[in-house]
Amino acid sequence: MTQTLSDQLTPELAERTRVLLRGFGAEIPAPGDLTVRTPITGGQLLTIRADTEEQAHAAITRAATAFDAWRTVPAPGRAAVVRRLAELLTAHKTELGELVTLEAGKIGAEAVGEVQEMIDICEFAIGLSRQLYGRTMPSERPGHRLMETWHPLGVVGVISAFNFPVAVWAWNTALALVCGDTVVWKPSETTPLTALACHTLLRRAAVDVGVDPEVHQLIQGDSRIGAQLVDDERVALVSATGSVRMGRIVAPRVAQRFGRCLLELGGNNAAIVTPSADLELAARAIVFAAAGTAGQRCTTLRRLIVHADVAGPLTALIERAYRQLRVGNPLDDGVLVGPLIDQAAHDNMRIALERALADEGELVCGGERVEVFGDNGHYVRPALVRMPAQTAVVREETFAPILYVLTYHELEHAIALHNAVPQGLSSSIFTTDQREAERFLAADGSDCGIANVNIGTSGAEIGGAFGGEKQTGGGRESGSDSWKAYMRRATNTVNYSAELPLAQGIKFG
Ligand code: UN1
């Protein structure tokens, strides 16, 4: 029955995908060797042709050529294309959200939220275009001025992941464009159609405001195409989002040619819940952070470190919420947990759960497959697992909805446990005790790039810098002064006197 439903649904979803693509003004790609599936049924939406090595090379050439003129356009003028993109995104918000749901499996609210995140970063970038500030410093020499200026960097290669198929591209692209860079985008091979939609909208925005559309290039394919961006000397910055394994390949290769890298790799995010916490609030935040996006955010909450005195009641609250979570077709209203991206994600979840149980973990609830469309699509109930210790499997990032619960007695021990993983992206503490909150945010508190109080680990706003430490890769994207990664800094000393005093008081001749 459900199997049949999926057989009927897949062609409908495929047709809907074509309608959406046409609505963005995109051409339906010619059939090719890359199969695009929807995680909703696991069925095929379209096939597309992956780019060849020559095509990717030509795209980088076009971006490098466009850069020559683009870098001389004043930054507020460059913002015009980003402003127009924001307008188009606003006009197509629902449809682009729907395409994200079809291709990545996100529920509607989260998919539209992702498009909103794109609009937010566009607005940020537009304002930023008038605030690419350099400093002036007092020169030690009379009649001299010392200052720094920020200049466009060059071609930026953006490698993005399936789980935020459009927002992370927008973080990079909106900033890169106002900074005067051109962009070559290699999206995940799992989500090439949302990429095609964004690429089409951006090119349209460029044409609408009289900007050379070649400032943005899209190349499609697997990691071999990505490797071209990594190795091409003309790509000044490689901004890559993905696994630690991918980062280990990308970073040394870019460093080898003295290129720059901006890495946003895995997270293994934890929340500490202290006895003073508002448990109802904590439970709500925890459920969204751990089960939202079916556990497939890099900011997903994966470890809960709870004081022994409140572990019982908190786990009970989370368990109750988990049992009520509706798992199903992300296109249906009321569904909160959509599918995992593919079979491999499902296998990884199963293996992680087996390992956790072998480590004497106790499954509180969840973890089982949910048959939404029979054998098709990989739907699971988010799992809650009580762990006696932070074993190897807990220290790894499994990109699926598993929340491990550990207990502590002393806050110092909780912070030590919190930091005893190789990743360092996001973190939270739930407490109403200011001392505990400040202790967590202090230099010897959370070692992550993001440290929150009384909110979950996921769902960051664009205004702050986004990224993390240790194996997360050290990069910062999005807000604050992350733009500096997309520009080069020049230090300028100007002598407006008729003398030639040397620095450090040196007399020469
Ligand atoms: C990601 O999962 O790669 O903070 C990005 C969040 C989102 C971005 C996640 N704003 O969860």
Side-chain angles (χ1 to χ4, degrees), residues 117 163-164 168 171 241 264 297-299 458-460 466:
E117 192 162 348
N163 66 326
F164 269 80
V168 171
W171 289 356
T241 304
E264 206 252 282
R297 289 193 190 214
C298 55
T299 50
S458 68
F466 183 97

